[in-house]
PDB file of all heavy atoms in Angstrom:
ATOM      1  N   GLY A 230       1.258   2.598  -4.790  1.00  0.00           N
ATOM      2  CA  GLY A 230       0.393   1.568  -4.371  1.00  0.00           C
ATOM      3  C   GLY A 230       0.835   0.624  -3.335  1.00  0.00           C
ATOM      4  O   GLY A 230       0.390  -0.496  -3.243  1.00  0.00           O
ATOM      5  N   VAL A 231       2.030   1.027  -2.611  1.00  0.00           N
ATOM      6  CA  VAL A 231       2.464   0.209  -1.505  1.00  0.00           C
ATOM      7  C   VAL A 231       1.383   0.038  -0.469  1.00  0.00           C
ATOM      8  O   VAL A 231       0.814   1.137   0.034  1.00  0.00           O
ATOM      9  CB  VAL A 231       3.821   0.645  -0.919  1.00  0.00           C
ATOM     10  CG1 VAL A 231       4.176  -0.068   0.421  1.00  0.00           C
ATOM     11  CG2 VAL A 231       4.747   0.839  -1.938  1.00  0.00           C
ATOM     12  N   ARG A 232       1.077  -1.113   0.022  1.00  0.00           N
ATOM     13  CA  ARG A 232       0.023  -1.327   1.068  1.00  0.00           C
ATOM     14  C   ARG A 232       0.811  -1.319   2.404  1.00  0.00           C
ATOM     15  O   ARG A 232       1.405  -2.226   2.856  1.00  0.00           O
ATOM     16  CB  ARG A 232      -0.673  -2.645   0.892  1.00  0.00           C
ATOM     17  CG  ARG A 232      -1.451  -2.739  -0.420  1.00  0.00           C
ATOM     18  CD  ARG A 232      -2.160  -4.103  -0.598  1.00  0.00           C
ATOM     19  NE  ARG A 232      -3.294  -4.278   0.213  1.00  0.00           N
ATOM     20  CZ  ARG A 232      -4.450  -3.753   0.087  1.00  0.00           C
ATOM     21  NH1 ARG A 232      -4.763  -3.115  -1.013  1.00  0.00           N
ATOM     22  NH2 ARG A 232      -5.462  -3.896   0.958  1.00  0.00           N
ATOM     23  N   ILE A 233       0.803  -0.066   2.956  1.00  0.00           N
ATOM     24  CA  ILE A 233       1.487   0.096   4.281  1.00  0.00           C
ATOM     25  C   ILE A 233       0.747  -0.504   5.438  1.00  0.00           C
ATOM     26  O   ILE A 233      -0.439  -0.239   5.554  1.00  0.00           O
ATOM     27  CB  ILE A 233       1.634   1.641   4.494  1.00  0.00           C
ATOM     28  CG1 ILE A 233       2.606   2.216   3.377  1.00  0.00           C
ATOM     29  CG2 ILE A 233       2.274   1.898   5.827  1.00  0.00           C
ATOM     30  CD1 ILE A 233       2.625   3.821   3.414  1.00  0.00           C
ATOM     31  N   SER A 234       1.402  -1.260   6.154  1.00  0.00           N
ATOM     32  CA  SER A 234       0.759  -1.830   7.365  1.00  0.00           C
ATOM     33  C   SER A 234       1.126  -1.019   8.674  1.00  0.00           C
ATOM     34  O   SER A 234       0.191  -0.829   9.497  1.00  0.00           O
ATOM     35  CB  SER A 234       1.325  -3.341   7.558  1.00  0.00           C
ATOM     36  OG  SER A 234       2.722  -3.299   7.952  1.00  0.00           O
ATOM     37  N   ARG A 235       2.326  -0.522   8.790  1.00  0.00           N
ATOM     38  CA  ARG A 235       2.604   0.255   9.944  1.00  0.00           C
ATOM     39  C   ARG A 235       3.834   1.152   9.656  1.00  0.00           C
ATOM     40  O   ARG A 235       4.701   0.822   8.793  1.00  0.00           O
ATOM     41  CB  ARG A 235       2.754  -0.549  11.149  1.00  0.00           C
ATOM     42  CG  ARG A 235       4.187  -1.393  11.194  1.00  0.00           C
ATOM     43  CD  ARG A 235       4.176  -2.311  12.456  1.00  0.00           C
ATOM     44  NE  ARG A 235       5.539  -2.864  12.605  1.00  0.00           N
ATOM     45  CZ  ARG A 235       5.950  -4.009  12.050  1.00  0.00           C
ATOM     46  NH1 ARG A 235       5.147  -4.574  11.132  1.00  0.00           N
ATOM     47  NH2 ARG A 235       7.168  -4.474  12.266  1.00  0.00           N
ATOM     48  N   ILE A 236       3.972   2.165  10.534  1.00  0.00           N
ATOM     49  CA  ILE A 236       5.183   3.001  10.517  1.00  0.00           C
ATOM     50  C   ILE A 236       5.603   3.107  11.978  1.00  0.00           C
ATOM     51  O   ILE A 236       4.865   3.578  12.827  1.00  0.00           O
ATOM     52  CB  ILE A 236       5.025   4.393   9.946  1.00  0.00           C
ATOM     53  CG1 ILE A 236       4.480   4.235   8.565  1.00  0.00           C
ATOM     54  CG2 ILE A 236       6.141   5.239   9.888  1.00  0.00           C
ATOM     55  CD1 ILE A 236       4.042   5.568   7.954  1.00  0.00           C
ATOM     56  N   THR A 237       6.930   2.877  12.181  1.00  0.00           N
ATOM     57  CA  THR A 237       7.472   2.996  13.608  1.00  0.00           C
ATOM     58  C   THR A 237       8.413   4.157  13.594  1.00  0.00           C
ATOM     59  O   THR A 237       9.265   4.437  12.756  1.00  0.00           O
ATOM     60  CB  THR A 237       8.321   1.745  13.897  1.00  0.00           C
ATOM     61  OG1 THR A 237       7.620   0.619  13.972  1.00  0.00           O
ATOM     62  CG2 THR A 237       8.904   1.906  15.340  1.00  0.00           C
ATOM     63  N   ASP A 238       8.101   5.066  14.579  1.00  0.00           N
ATOM     64  CA  ASP A 238       8.635   6.433  14.673  1.00  0.00           C
ATOM     65  C   ASP A 238       9.679   6.498  15.838  1.00  0.00           C
ATOM     66  O   ASP A 238       9.346   5.991  16.986  1.00  0.00           O
ATOM     67  CB  ASP A 238       7.688   7.541  14.775  1.00  0.00           C
ATOM     68  CG  ASP A 238       6.851   7.757  13.588  1.00  0.00           C
ATOM     69  OD1 ASP A 238       7.379   7.461  12.501  1.00  0.00           O
ATOM     70  OD2 ASP A 238       5.701   8.276  13.765  1.00  0.00           O
ATOM     71  N   THR A 239      10.784   7.086  15.658  1.00  0.00           N
ATOM     72  CA  THR A 239      11.651   7.444  16.800  1.00  0.00           C
ATOM     73  C   THR A 239      12.084   8.988  16.561  1.00  0.00           C
ATOM     74  O   THR A 239      12.469   9.301  15.438  1.00  0.00           O
ATOM     75  CB  THR A 239      12.968   6.628  16.649  1.00  0.00           C
ATOM     76  OG1 THR A 239      12.720   5.192  16.650  1.00  0.00           O
ATOM     77  CG2 THR A 239      13.842   6.955  17.858  1.00  0.00           C
ATOM     78  N   VAL A 240      11.886   9.749  17.656  1.00  0.00           N
ATOM     79  CA  VAL A 240      12.263  11.085  17.703  1.00  0.00           C
ATOM     80  C   VAL A 240      13.176  11.304  18.815  1.00  0.00           C
ATOM     81  O   VAL A 240      12.980  10.937  19.886  1.00  0.00           O
ATOM     82  CB  VAL A 240      10.990  12.002  17.839  1.00  0.00           C
ATOM     83  CG1 VAL A 240      11.430  13.496  17.800  1.00  0.00           C
ATOM     84  CG2 VAL A 240       9.985  11.725  16.716  1.00  0.00           C
ATOM     85  N   GLU A 241      14.379  11.951  18.582  1.00  0.00           N
ATOM     86  CA  GLU A 241      15.345  12.248  19.508  1.00  0.00           C
ATOM     87  C   GLU A 241      16.006  13.551  19.370  1.00  0.00           C
ATOM     88  O   GLU A 241      15.917  14.092  18.118  1.00  0.00           O
ATOM     89  CB  GLU A 241      16.343  11.132  19.507  1.00  0.00           C
ATOM     90  CG  GLU A 241      17.053  10.940  18.160  1.00  0.00           C
ATOM     91  CD  GLU A 241      18.009   9.815  18.076  1.00  0.00           C
ATOM     92  OE1 GLU A 241      18.812   9.602  19.080  1.00  0.00           O
ATOM     93  OE2 GLU A 241      18.024   8.986  17.154  1.00  0.00           O
ATOM     94  N   ALA A 242      16.580  14.128  20.335  1.00  0.00           N
ATOM     95  CA  ALA A 242      17.262  15.396  20.259  1.00  0.00           C
ATOM     96  C   ALA A 242      18.747  15.070  19.794  1.00  0.00           C
ATOM     97  O   ALA A 242      19.445  14.205  20.415  1.00  0.00           O
ATOM     98  CB  ALA A 242      17.354  16.117  21.602  1.00  0.00           C
ATOM     99  N   ARG A 243      19.252  15.862  18.877  1.00  0.00           N
ATOM    100  CA  ARG A 243      20.562  15.817  18.398  1.00  0.00           C
ATOM    101  C   ARG A 243      21.115  17.086  18.184  1.00  0.00           C
ATOM    102  O   ARG A 243      20.439  18.223  18.317  1.00  0.00           O
ATOM    103  CB  ARG A 243      20.750  14.948  17.184  1.00  0.00           C
ATOM    104  CG  ARG A 243      20.366  13.382  17.318  1.00  0.00           C
ATOM    105  CD  ARG A 243      20.900  12.675  16.054  1.00  0.00           C
ATOM    106  NE  ARG A 243      20.558  11.316  16.120  1.00  0.00           N
ATOM    107  CZ  ARG A 243      20.781  10.356  15.228  1.00  0.00           C
ATOM    108  NH1 ARG A 243      21.436  10.867  14.109  1.00  0.00           N
ATOM    109  NH2 ARG A 243      20.545   9.096  15.338  1.00  0.00           N
ATOM    110  N   LEU A 244      22.435  17.170  17.893  1.00  0.00           N
ATOM    111  CA  LEU A 244      23.172  18.437  17.538  1.00  0.00           C
ATOM    112  C   LEU A 244      23.357  18.491  16.130  1.00  0.00           C
ATOM    113  O   LEU A 244      23.694  17.522  15.437  1.00  0.00           O
ATOM    114  CB  LEU A 244      24.479  18.597  18.320  1.00  0.00           C
ATOM    115  CG  LEU A 244      24.406  18.529  19.883  1.00  0.00           C
ATOM    116  CD1 LEU A 244      25.738  18.610  20.486  1.00  0.00           C
ATOM    117  CD2 LEU A 244      23.413  19.565  20.371  1.00  0.00           C
ATOM    118  N   ALA A 245      23.123  19.703  15.546  1.00  0.00           N
ATOM    119  CA  ALA A 245      23.307  19.853  14.033  1.00  0.00           C
ATOM    120  C   ALA A 245      24.686  19.591  13.508  1.00  0.00           C
ATOM    121  O   ALA A 245      25.663  20.218  13.991  1.00  0.00           O
ATOM    122  CB  ALA A 245      22.893  21.283  13.657  1.00  0.00           C
ATOM    123  N   ASP A 246      24.907  18.584  12.548  1.00  0.00           N
ATOM    124  CA  ASP A 246      26.044  18.340  11.955  1.00  0.00           C
ATOM    125  C   ASP A 246      26.347  19.375  10.936  1.00  0.00           C
ATOM    126  O   ASP A 246      25.473  20.286  10.565  1.00  0.00           O
ATOM    127  CB  ASP A 246      26.111  16.989  11.355  1.00  0.00           C
ATOM    128  CG  ASP A 246      24.886  16.717  10.409  1.00  0.00           C
ATOM    129  OD1 ASP A 246      24.809  17.463   9.524  1.00  0.00           O
ATOM    130  OD2 ASP A 246      24.173  15.798  10.623  1.00  0.00           O
ATOM    131  N   PRO A 247      27.480  19.387  10.220  1.00  0.00           N
ATOM    132  CA  PRO A 247      27.774  20.460   9.332  1.00  0.00           C
ATOM    133  C   PRO A 247      26.892  20.581   8.120  1.00  0.00           C
ATOM    134  O   PRO A 247      26.403  21.556   7.677  1.00  0.00           O
ATOM    135  CB  PRO A 247      29.235  20.070   8.915  1.00  0.00           C
ATOM    136  CG  PRO A 247      29.938  19.412   9.965  1.00  0.00           C
ATOM    137  CD  PRO A 247      28.735  18.619  10.571  1.00  0.00           C
ATOM    138  N   VAL A 248      26.369  19.296   7.605  1.00  0.00           N
ATOM    139  CA  VAL A 248      25.360  19.225   6.476  1.00  0.00           C
ATOM    140  C   VAL A 248      24.141  19.882   6.862  1.00  0.00           C
ATOM    141  O   VAL A 248      23.492  20.787   6.203  1.00  0.00           O
ATOM    142  CB  VAL A 248      25.220  17.906   5.932  1.00  0.00           C
ATOM    143  CG1 VAL A 248      24.087  17.882   4.843  1.00  0.00           C
ATOM    144  CG2 VAL A 248      26.489  17.314   5.349  1.00  0.00           C
ATOM    145  N   THR A 249      23.617  19.488   8.069  1.00  0.00           N
ATOM    146  CA  THR A 249      22.358  19.944   8.564  1.00  0.00           C
ATOM    147  C   THR A 249      22.325  21.448   8.898  1.00  0.00           C
ATOM    148  O   THR A 249      21.428  22.265   8.560  1.00  0.00           O
ATOM    149  CB  THR A 249      21.927  19.266   9.900  1.00  0.00           C
ATOM    150  OG1 THR A 249      21.733  17.837   9.557  1.00  0.00           O
ATOM    151  CG2 THR A 249      20.637  19.737  10.481  1.00  0.00           C
ATOM    152  N   ALA A 250      23.433  21.937   9.442  1.00  0.00           N
ATOM    153  CA  ALA A 250      23.688  23.309   9.869  1.00  0.00           C
ATOM    154  C   ALA A 250      23.629  24.157   8.473  1.00  0.00           C
ATOM    155  O   ALA A 250      22.990  25.245   8.449  1.00  0.00           O
ATOM    156  CB  ALA A 250      24.964  23.586  10.566  1.00  0.00           C
ATOM    157  N   GLU A 251      24.285  23.715   7.449  1.00  0.00           N
ATOM    158  CA  GLU A 251      24.216  24.401   6.206  1.00  0.00           C
ATOM    159  C   GLU A 251      22.888  24.413   5.597  1.00  0.00           C
ATOM    160  O   GLU A 251      22.395  25.535   5.172  1.00  0.00           O
ATOM    161  CB  GLU A 251      25.299  23.865   5.252  1.00  0.00           C
ATOM    162  CG  GLU A 251      25.348  24.604   3.884  1.00  0.00           C
ATOM    163  CD  GLU A 251      26.339  24.072   2.934  1.00  0.00           C
ATOM    164  OE1 GLU A 251      27.125  22.980   3.425  1.00  0.00           O
ATOM    165  OE2 GLU A 251      26.522  24.570   1.931  1.00  0.00           O
ATOM    166  N   LEU A 252      22.223  23.245   5.496  1.00  0.00           N
ATOM    167  CA  LEU A 252      20.934  23.273   4.783  1.00  0.00           C
ATOM    168  C   LEU A 252      19.861  23.965   5.587  1.00  0.00           C
ATOM    169  O   LEU A 252      18.965  24.614   4.966  1.00  0.00           O
ATOM    170  CB  LEU A 252      20.577  21.738   4.695  1.00  0.00           C
ATOM    171  CG  LEU A 252      21.379  20.971   3.516  1.00  0.00           C
ATOM    172  CD1 LEU A 252      20.884  19.459   3.506  1.00  0.00           C
ATOM    173  CD2 LEU A 252      21.142  21.555   2.186  1.00  0.00           C
ATOM    174  N   LEU A 253      19.799  23.896   6.964  1.00  0.00           N
ATOM    175  CA  LEU A 253      18.779  24.461   7.629  1.00  0.00           C
ATOM    176  C   LEU A 253      19.053  25.899   8.051  1.00  0.00           C
ATOM    177  O   LEU A 253      18.261  26.537   8.735  1.00  0.00           O
ATOM    178  CB  LEU A 253      18.369  23.626   8.855  1.00  0.00           C
ATOM    179  CG  LEU A 253      17.833  22.179   8.551  1.00  0.00           C
ATOM    180  CD1 LEU A 253      17.414  21.501   9.870  1.00  0.00           C
ATOM    181  CD2 LEU A 253      16.798  22.269   7.540  1.00  0.00           C
ATOM    182  N   GLN A 254      20.328  26.397   7.772  1.00  0.00           N
ATOM    183  CA  GLN A 254      20.732  27.691   8.218  1.00  0.00           C
ATOM    184  C   GLN A 254      20.701  27.919   9.698  1.00  0.00           C
ATOM    185  O   GLN A 254      20.065  28.900  10.131  1.00  0.00           O
ATOM    186  CB  GLN A 254      19.991  28.850   7.374  1.00  0.00           C
ATOM    187  CG  GLN A 254      20.032  28.702   5.877  1.00  0.00           C
ATOM    188  CD  GLN A 254      19.195  29.652   5.111  1.00  0.00           C
ATOM    189  OE1 GLN A 254      18.683  30.614   5.747  1.00  0.00           O
ATOM    190  NE2 GLN A 254      19.053  29.382   3.763  1.00  0.00           N
ATOM    191  N   VAL A 255      21.243  26.953  10.479  1.00  0.00           N
ATOM    192  CA  VAL A 255      21.223  27.054  11.863  1.00  0.00           C
ATOM    193  C   VAL A 255      22.756  26.888  12.260  1.00  0.00           C
ATOM    194  O   VAL A 255      23.549  26.454  11.476  1.00  0.00           O
ATOM    195  CB  VAL A 255      20.446  25.985  12.575  1.00  0.00           C
ATOM    196  CG1 VAL A 255      19.009  26.082  12.153  1.00  0.00           C
ATOM    197  CG2 VAL A 255      20.935  24.656  12.236  1.00  0.00           C
ATOM    198  N   PRO A 256      23.126  27.351  13.528  1.00  0.00           N
ATOM    199  CA  PRO A 256      24.487  27.266  14.020  1.00  0.00           C
ATOM    200  C   PRO A 256      24.900  25.770  14.084  1.00  0.00           C
ATOM    201  O   PRO A 256      24.049  24.913  14.429  1.00  0.00           O
ATOM    202  CB  PRO A 256      24.430  27.890  15.300  1.00  0.00           C
ATOM    203  CG  PRO A 256      23.325  28.854  15.300  1.00  0.00           C
ATOM    204  CD  PRO A 256      22.262  28.116  14.456  1.00  0.00           C
ATOM    205  N   LEU A 257      26.186  25.534  13.797  1.00  0.00           N
ATOM    206  CA  LEU A 257      26.750  24.252  13.967  1.00  0.00           C
ATOM    207  C   LEU A 257      26.552  23.780  15.448  1.00  0.00           C
ATOM    208  O   LEU A 257      26.749  24.549  16.370  1.00  0.00           O
ATOM    209  CB  LEU A 257      28.153  24.167  13.610  1.00  0.00           C
ATOM    210  CG  LEU A 257      28.938  22.798  13.743  1.00  0.00           C
ATOM    211  CD1 LEU A 257      28.322  21.855  12.627  1.00  0.00           C
ATOM    212  CD2 LEU A 257      30.448  23.026  13.394  1.00  0.00           C
ATOM    213  N   LEU A 258      26.061  22.573  15.644  1.00  0.00           N
ATOM    214  CA  LEU A 258      25.920  21.878  17.011  1.00  0.00           C
ATOM    215  C   LEU A 258      24.791  22.539  17.785  1.00  0.00           C
ATOM    216  O   LEU A 258      24.602  22.366  18.962  1.00  0.00           O
ATOM    217  CB  LEU A 258      27.170  21.997  17.852  1.00  0.00           C
ATOM    218  CG  LEU A 258      28.424  21.375  17.260  1.00  0.00           C
ATOM    219  CD1 LEU A 258      29.611  21.558  18.230  1.00  0.00           C
ATOM    220  CD2 LEU A 258      28.169  19.926  16.913  1.00  0.00           C
ATOM    221  N   SER A 259      23.779  23.221  17.014  1.00  0.00           N
ATOM    222  CA  SER A 259      22.634  23.649  17.684  1.00  0.00           C
ATOM    223  C   SER A 259      21.568  22.475  17.757  1.00  0.00           C
ATOM    224  O   SER A 259      21.656  21.609  17.004  1.00  0.00           O
ATOM    225  CB  SER A 259      21.995  24.873  16.864  1.00  0.00           C
ATOM    226  OG  SER A 259      21.636  24.448  15.549  1.00  0.00           O
ATOM    227  N   PRO A 260      20.643  22.645  18.728  1.00  0.00           N
ATOM    228  CA  PRO A 260      19.683  21.410  18.940  1.00  0.00           C
ATOM    229  C   PRO A 260      18.813  21.320  17.695  1.00  0.00           C
ATOM    230  O   PRO A 260      18.297  22.274  17.101  1.00  0.00           O
ATOM    231  CB  PRO A 260      18.920  21.904  20.098  1.00  0.00           C
ATOM    232  CG  PRO A 260      19.797  22.928  20.856  1.00  0.00           C
ATOM    233  CD  PRO A 260      20.411  23.680  19.765  1.00  0.00           C
ATOM    234  N   ILE A 261      18.527  20.066  17.279  1.00  0.00           N
ATOM    235  CA  ILE A 261      17.595  19.721  16.259  1.00  0.00           C
ATOM    236  C   ILE A 261      16.743  18.575  16.731  1.00  0.00           C
ATOM    237  O   ILE A 261      17.132  17.925  17.644  1.00  0.00           O
ATOM    238  CB  ILE A 261      18.189  19.491  14.888  1.00  0.00           C
ATOM    239  CG1 ILE A 261      19.094  18.255  15.046  1.00  0.00           C
ATOM    240  CG2 ILE A 261      18.984  20.645  14.338  1.00  0.00           C
ATOM    241  CD1 ILE A 261      19.505  17.639  13.670  1.00  0.00           C
ATOM    242  N   LEU A 262      15.599  18.319  16.077  1.00  0.00           N
ATOM    243  CA  LEU A 262      14.796  17.125  16.308  1.00  0.00           C
ATOM    244  C   LEU A 262      15.173  16.127  15.162  1.00  0.00           C
ATOM    245  O   LEU A 262      15.068  16.529  13.957  1.00  0.00           O
ATOM    246  CB  LEU A 262      13.276  17.358  16.230  1.00  0.00           C
ATOM    247  CG  LEU A 262      12.670  18.073  17.555  1.00  0.00           C
ATOM    248  CD1 LEU A 262      11.314  18.283  17.276  1.00  0.00           C
ATOM    249  CD2 LEU A 262      12.904  17.120  18.775  1.00  0.00           C
TER     250      LEU A 262
END
Side-chain angles (χ1 to χ4, degrees):
V231 174
R232 299 181 68 85
I233 296 174
S234 65
R235 73 184 190 276
I236 301 175
T237 300
D238 292 335
T239 303
V240 180
E241 56 187 315
R243 289 193 183 180
L244 301 179
D246 56 55
V248 173
T249 298
E251 179 180 1
L252 288 175
L253 300 187
Q254 299 177 15
V255 297
L257 183 65
L258 302 181
S259 61
I261 63 166
L262 282 177

